[in-house]
Amino acid sequence: MSSAQQKPIASGRHRPQGVGTGSTKNGHPMDITRRVLVVGGGIAGLAAALRLTHAGAQVTVVEQAPEFAEIGAGLQLGPNATRLLDAWGLLDGVKATAVVPRALVLRDVHTDTLLARQDLGDRFVERYGGRYLVTHRTDLHTVLLDAARVAGVELVPGTSIDEVIHADDRVVGLATDGRKFAAAALVAADGLHSRQRARLIGDEPQPSGYVAYRGTVPIDEVPGAHGLDEVVCWVGPGCHIVRYPLRGGRLLNQVAVFYAPRAAAERAVDGDPAEIAKAFAMAHPDVLAGLEYVGTEKCWPLADRLPTERWVDRRTLLIGDAAHPMFQYLAQGACQALEDADALGDVVAATQPWDGDGWHDALVEVARRRAPRAARVQTTARTFGEICHVEGIGAALRDAHLRAREGDWFDQLDWLYLARDEQENPVTNRELASADAALSER
């Protein structure tokens, strides 16, 4: 059924050299003031490592898994992410296996009726300066991993950081096996269940009560799916289904989400074919036909956290899901992680924080730039999920509002997809105010 679990990517193992002040790399002393330890080798961690290296830092990435690999299925990359990948010289590598969808489509799960459509063609690209892509999570991770390796990032798999010690001029990560990783700064990219966030903030993930069943299969195996060139989301009471092609249209990615409360879990839990069948028993026959090809052995309880402004503690910075875990309803998890990495690289390149309190000040500046926007994406994703899953009269009002609109949805998307400098001009600010008003009316 599902091919979401891919063969691990070779890690290019390196033994850690960042231990203490007398460390060497390739026989040469290393400057502790330029050393950065990145905890977590997923998309956020590798992107941050790459940008830091290009800014002049010497980076070690530690990953608790035995290999650097990404588990999952499809993900969506809005133009706010593809612009960055293009600027980093990585977009062509991503596009080699990605799909450029023709439109984003919202449909009714009961009737398959069209509710809303956003064309992703030339007008969209001209407005936002980048394409909308869908890709396999493993494929994006591979591009970032290869680029990090070429850039000279030190990759250390099979390493879990249990404790972090701050000193006046450094931070030391203590691994489970006793190894010590000394650096001038630490970037925590260790996900929703981040140990570093637990130390800094002490909050807990917020379970939504929803679960996701997901998987990828050859597209030709699914009736009616061949030739699909859109990202389609069917919405209904307490449920939705997303479907889109991957890898040149050869694979179909599907995610079925519905309300089925679970106890808090750090990873996938056992699935139940009967509960997914019950949740979508009312779905249109064409939707049901595709559901038969969603993997049911495992499911993922969905959770986020409340936004926080506390991304920094002395020489430690949270990024990605460690800083702003969010629901998938805006398809922005990976995109916001890439924005974090870009801001981090820009600040370090501009400030060259090699002396004194430079690193702390630089990390604070990254948080200042990124925390408000990430919080807005988090909270809007929650709101959009509620809109998708509303029942009864709320669903009727939602559908009437969506059908009353014609053409594009740029006024709703500008705040998310426009470049930062474009968002700061007066015309765009008026558009953002209009979009906020429209959201508040829903």
Side-chain angles (χ1 to χ4, degrees), residues 233-253:
C233 179
W234 288 269
V235 297
C239 68
H240 77 271
I241 303 163
V242 177
R243 182 181 298 172
Y244 53 84
L246 294 175
R247 291 184 175 157
R250 298 187 301 276
L251 292 181
L252 180 68
N253 181 75

Side-chain angles (χ1 to χ4, degrees), residues 25-79:
K25 185 175 182 179
N26 299 325
H28 301 288
M30 292 197 302
D31 182 359
I32 191 69
T33 65
R34 291 178 179 264
R35 294 298 300 169
V36 180
L37 176 63
V38 176
V39 179
I43 289 170
L46 290 177
L50 184 64
R51 292 290 290 128
L52 284 166
T53 300
H54 289 163
Q58 299 170 332
V59 184
T60 296
V61 180
V62 296
E63 164 59 41
Q64 66 177 355
E67 300 287 345
F68 279 82
E70 187 68 75
I71 297 175
L75 59 79
Q76 303 176 52
L77 296 172

